[in-house]
Amino acid sequence: MTFQRVSGLPQLRPLQTLSLSGKRHYILPDKSIVPSVTTLLGHFEDKGIRRWRAKVGYDEADRISEEARVRGEAYHSLLEDYLDNTPIDKILSRPELVKVGPRLSQNFFCTLPYLNRITNIHYQETCLYSLALKLAGRCDVIAEFDGALSVIDFKTARKEKKEEYIQNYFEQATCYSLMYEELVGVEVPQIVILIAADQENGASTLQCFVKQAKDYKSSLMRKIDAYHTGKEI
């Protein structure tokens, strides 16, 4: 399969990042400094993360987090190559597959049928921001998925995710859709979350969640307002 890119779209330039109190922030073209989308949403998950770290032990939590970070970055890199029309045999020769281990190749192969539902790519691995929302972030893909223009986000997981526990994933993608509309003037109504999840038997499965951004805008805006004003939600 050959992936096509949509021409004539405005150029979206990279943004400089910086870490403030260990949290990712971006410097916008007007020189203002804003939090990343994941920093904002993570603010409302911190209590749960602290409980998890205390439960499993801090050293083990650090090990798991680092392992997830390395695999997630490698997984994104492989998918980016595939969407760039890199031959699979060349992708499979990448050192990440040896470094990270067999889970990564299983994650990659279980994702391929879903990548093949992507057409007319607008942007890939691009920085988005909103002056109105005072946020920025890096979006995996904006393209058509099953014929509908979508924000598409890739995740890896150590086990399958229950939908009720990943509200923040849907809000993250919704935020990117709002940023895109502000920057490019094109509405992105659909959000797609693809999660390559490990199974106990050593295999991988792909969870595909296709949603409408409008359904998560209200909860997202409440969090944005609470974050910027210091309110509780």
Side-chain angles (χ1 to χ4, degrees):
M1 179 172 180
T2 301
F3 295 97
Q4 303 293 329
R5 263 116 180 114
V6 175
S7 61
L9 294 170
Q11 183 178 3
L12 300 179
R13 299 184 181 279
L15 299 174
Q16 183 180 346
T17 63
L18 73 163
S19 178
L20 298 177
S21 302
K23 305 295 184 181
R24 180 180 291 270
H25 288 68
Y26 287 86
I27 302 175
L28 300 190
D30 68 356
K31 306 304 181 183
S32 61
I33 297 173
V34 300
S36 71
V37 181
T38 51
T39 291
L40 179 138
L41 294 174
H43 173 78
F44 300 98
E45 302 290 328
D46 279 350
K47 290 182 180 179
I49 292 173
R50 287 196 295 269
R51 286 196 297 268
W52 170 75
R53 288 177 60 82
K55 180 179 179 180
V56 303
Y58 295 104
D59 289 343
E60 178 65 7
D62 287 342
R63 185 194 67 78
I64 292 172
S65 297
E66 177 62 13
E67 182 182 89
R69 183 193 66 79
V70 170
R71 179 158 61 132
E73 289 181 356
Y75 174 69
H76 278 73
S77 182
L78 298 183
L79 301 190
E80 184 177 359
D81 276 358
Y82 185 75
L83 293 174
D84 279 337
N85 298 311
T86 303
I88 286 185
D89 59 347
K90 186 174 181 180
I91 295 174
L92 296 180
S93 69
R94 291 190 56 155
E96 289 95 328
L97 287 165
V98 176
K99 180 180 178 181
V100 177
R103 287 286 195 187
L104 179 58
S105 60
Q106 292 165 2
N107 293 159
F108 174 68
F109 279 110
C110 77
T111 309
L112 291 187
Y114 297 86
L115 296 184
N116 291 336
R117 293 162 64 177
I118 294 174
T119 55
N120 297 323
I121 297 173
H122 285 211
Y123 294 93
Q124 185 179 336
E125 288 293 330
T126 192
C127 286
L128 298 174
Y129 66 91
S130 169
L131 295 174
L133 302 178
K134 299 178 183 177
L135 289 170
R138 191 170 183 86
C139 181
D140 290 341
V141 178
I142 296 175
E144 293 180 16
F145 187 87
D146 292 342
L149 188 60
S150 307
V151 169
I152 305 168
D153 202 36
F154 306 124
K155 308 286 187 184
T156 57
R158 298 174 71 228
K159 61 181 180 179
E160 291 187 48
K161 298 285 190 179
K162 293 183 179 180
E163 183 172 329
E164 58 265 33
Y165 296 153
I166 57 171
Q167 172 91 1
N168 59 325
Y169 291 176
F170 304 135
E171 292 167 342
Q172 179 185 6
T174 295
C175 195
Y176 292 148
S177 76
L178 296 174
M179 291 174 175
Y180 189 76
E181 185 172 3
E182 180 179 328
L183 290 173
V184 181
V186 175
E187 182 184 5
V188 186
Q190 184 167 271
I191 56 177
V192 180
I193 309 298
L194 300 179
I195 306 174
D198 298 338
Q199 296 182 309
E200 291 184 1
N201 63 4
S204 292
T205 190
L206 199 289
Q207 295 179 274
C208 177
F209 298 92
V210 180
K211 303 292 184 180
Q212 295 299 303
K214 63 180 176 62
D215 294 333
Y216 300 92
K217 183 177 178 180
S218 293
S219 61
L220 169 67
M221 297 305 292
R222 284 196 298 272
K223 289 183 178 179
I224 292 173
D225 178 66
Y227 184 90
H228 288 314
T229 61
K231 297 177 183 176
E232 296 291 333
I233 61 170

